[in-house]
């Protein structure tokens, strides 16, 4: 119980670091939540026009997920890695420091996949890149990657990992409810468009 709690709290704290907000603020761009979709993730940081900051946000948001899983596994035991993965994504989506209004969880979800099982990460990242490239819509890539992750975990990892990634996918889909509504209406912006 103590180990489970430790893994969850550590991962949630790491996940709650809002890199998109911190980087854009440090670059003197103001509050990213007042730009584009208002999201703190890499897709919205790209709407500031800075590819470098968007890439850094993507990388750091993913890395914090990987680190959360690896450190939790090391400190508390491998059985708690899937719980840490879920907690890191929850921390990103609901950071206490931002009034529990955080990001949509995509980069952090990919990061935790890398920490849990690299084949699951590779399959999911390939679906993400392919779907985003074909549709030219970031959220389509994200949702495709999340949908395939639990299935990839069943094939390449174990039941606990698959269950954690199913919960992660549910959170990410829920956080994309506005994107899904825009996709249905045909108004979701394409990558590179200002929104
Ligand atoms: O990762 C978030 C992406 O899927 C959509 O972001 O800013 O277009 O809502 P955004």
């Amino acid at each position: 119980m103590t180990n489970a709690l430790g893994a969850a709290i550590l991962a949630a704290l790491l996940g709650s670091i809002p890199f998109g907000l911190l980087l854009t603020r440090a670059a003197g761009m103001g509050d990213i939540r007042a730009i584009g979709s208002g999201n703190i993730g890499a897709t919205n940081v790209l709407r500031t026009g800075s590819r470098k900051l968007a890439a850094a946000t993507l990388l750091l948001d993913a890395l914090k997920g990987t680190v959360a899983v690896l450190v939790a596994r090391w400190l508390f035991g491998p059985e708690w890695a899937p719980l840490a993965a879920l907690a890191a994504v929850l921390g990103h989506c609901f950071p206490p420091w931002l009034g529990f209004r955080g990001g949509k969880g995509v980069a952090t979800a990919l990061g935790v996949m890398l920490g849990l099982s690299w084949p699951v990460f590779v399959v999911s990242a390939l679906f993400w890149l392919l779907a985003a490239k074909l549709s030219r819509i970031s959220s389509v890539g994200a949702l495709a990657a999340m949908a395939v992750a639990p299935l990839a975990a069943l094939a390449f990892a174990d039941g606990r990992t698959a269950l954690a990634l199913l919960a992660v996918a549910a959170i990410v889909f829920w956080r994309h409810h506005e994107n899904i509504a825009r996709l249905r209406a045909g108004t979701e912006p394409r990558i590179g468009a200002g929104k």
Side-chain angles (χ1 to χ4, degrees), residues 37 39 43-44 47 104 106 138-139 142 176 179 182 188-189:
S37 68
N39 191 35
T43 303
N44 203 37
R47 295 190 183 107
K104 299 185 179 179
V106 180
S138 180
S139 57
H176 279 77
N179 302 81
R182 284 195 295 269
E188 179 75 330

Side-chain angles (χ1 to χ4, degrees), residues 106-189:
V106 180
T108 307
L110 285 163
V112 301
M113 286 174 209
L114 182 60
L116 288 171
S117 156
W118 69 263
V120 172
F121 166 78
V122 169
V123 170
S124 201
L126 282 177
F127 268 74
W128 178 50
L129 290 174
L130 195 70
K133 193 171 171 51
L134 291 178
S135 66
R136 306 295 308 154
I137 299 174
S138 180
S139 57
V140 169
L143 296 174
M146 295 307 121
V148 79
L151 299 173
L154 278 180
F156 299 110
D158 52 68
R160 276 170 85 107
T161 303
L163 207 61
L165 291 181
L166 189 64
V168 164
I171 294 163
V172 176
F173 266 74
W174 183 54
R175 294 295 287 167
H176 279 77
H177 67 273
E178 288 174 358
N179 302 81
I180 292 167
R182 284 195 295 269
L183 284 170
R184 290 166 69 101
T187 57
E188 179 75 330

